[in-house]
Amino acid sequence: GEDVEQSLFLSVREGDSSVINCTYTDSSSTYLYWYKQEPGAGLQLLTYIFSNMDMKQDQRLTVLLNKKDKHLSLRIADTQTGDSAIYFCAESSNTGGFKTIFGAGTRLFVKA
Amino acid sequence: KAGVTQTPRYLIKTRGQQVTLSCSPISGHRSVSWYQQTPGQGLQFLFEYFSETQRNKGNFPGRFSGRQFSNSRSEMNVSTLELGDSALYLCASSYGTDNYGYTFGSGTRLTVV
């Protein structure tokens, strides 16, 4: 079945770049996403990428997609303490309705 | 515009009871999806409704059910509660005709004792 995997923790220093990686199994995935969750809150959509793209940039965020290896990454430039949160990778395919599968989330710690 | 509203925010129930959670999507959004979030299992897909019809269902027992009303508001019901049902239940809405991502509510924290 569909599966999305990501590492559980990442620690970086303030001002450095953060790179969060994710792999997925569903070759029919049409959209891939990055969401952010802060304590006590729901998930917030950060960005998404179509499966026919290999890169998308949005301000400090860069998403890279390697469809052949089913690998997705999120790079956060100039990481700030306010970026400390859990980041979820997710994939979706239109199978007669939208069903999005999420990874377990990567907890990002930003050290001042 | 108003976000996705979930009520109640917190709920404590006893084993064997049933519970109903409510979700009001963003105005104009016709798709509502429900997820269960636990520390051990992460985000697990429960079901998705679009225009009052269930389009997709996850691998949960029949004790978990849902519905959607004509105004797109949705409810989910869990009957015969078990301790393992303790979780954060998240509702997410979208237009439903594209897959550009969800807007999530803040969730309902259910504790079963």
Side-chain angles (χ1 to χ4, degrees):
Chain A
E2 313 101 337
D3 194 21
V4 177
E5 293 194 355
Q6 49 185 131
S7 52
L8 294 182
F9 299 100
L10 177 65
S11 179
V12 300
R13 290 192 183 279
E14 191 174 25
D16 287 351
S17 290
S18 308
V19 179
I20 303 171
N21 294 299
C22 164
T23 57
Y24 61 97
T25 58
D26 189 356
S27 56
S28 66
S29 296
T30 51
Y31 295 80
L32 296 123
Y33 314 86
W34 285 102
Y35 285 84
K36 175 184 180 182
Q37 187 178 35
E38 295 182 88
L43 279 70
Q44 173 196 357
L45 178 66
L46 290 177
T47 188
Y48 65 89
I49 188 168
F50 298 114
S51 59
N52 63 358
M53 297 170 66
D54 50 25
M55 187 182 98
K56 182 177 181 182
Q57 188 150 3
D58 185 359
Q59 299 182 346
R60 292 190 298 124
L61 305 179
T62 303
V63 178
L64 295 178
L65 173 60
N66 180 329
K67 194 172 180 182
K68 175 177 165 290
D69 294 338
K70 298 192 185 68
H71 182 268
L72 185 73
S73 68
L74 173 70
R75 178 176 179 270
I76 305 173
D78 186 26
T79 312
Q80 302 298 306
T81 54
D83 295 324
S84 293
I86 302 175
Y87 291 81
F88 291 88
C89 171
E91 63 86 16
S92 181
S93 56
N94 186 352
T95 54
F98 298 123
K99 177 181 176 182
T100 301
I101 304 300
F102 288 82
T106 299
R107 187 177 292 273
L108 175 63
F109 295 97
V110 182
K111 297 176 284 189
Chain B
K1 58 183 178 184
V4 177
T5 304
Q6 290 190 247
T7 56
R9 282 298 311 270
Y10 302 94
L11 207 48
I12 300 176
K13 289 286 188 178
T14 305
R15 269 183 304 174
Q17 288 186 312
Q18 74 164 18
V19 67
T20 299
L21 311 182
S22 178
C23 172
S24 293
I26 286 177
S27 178
H29 282 190
R30 293 161 63 194
S31 170
V32 173
S33 297
W34 288 90
Y35 286 84
Q36 181 195 66
Q37 186 178 26
T38 59
Q41 297 295 316
L43 276 145
Q44 299 290 311
F45 173 75
L46 281 154
F47 24 65
E48 186 233 357
Y49 287 89
F50 178 80
S51 293
E52 302 179 68
T53 300
Q54 187 182 87
R55 287 198 300 193
N56 254 306
K57 189 176 190 306
N59 298 321
F60 277 81
R63 300 185 298 107
F64 292 82
S65 62
R67 59 178 175 169
Q68 187 180 34
F69 302 96
S70 58
N71 62 357
S72 294
R73 190 177 73 83
S74 177
E75 290 181 345
M76 67 162 281
N77 185 275
V78 188
S79 62
T80 319
L81 283 164
E82 301 177 358
L83 295 179
D85 297 333
S86 294
L88 180 67
Y89 289 88
L90 291 166
C91 166
S93 78
S94 69
Y95 286 107
T97 53
D98 57 63
N99 218 351
Y100 299 155
Y102 294 136
T103 303
F104 276 86
S106 297
T108 294
R109 171 77 59 188
L110 172 66
T111 303
V112 182
V113 297

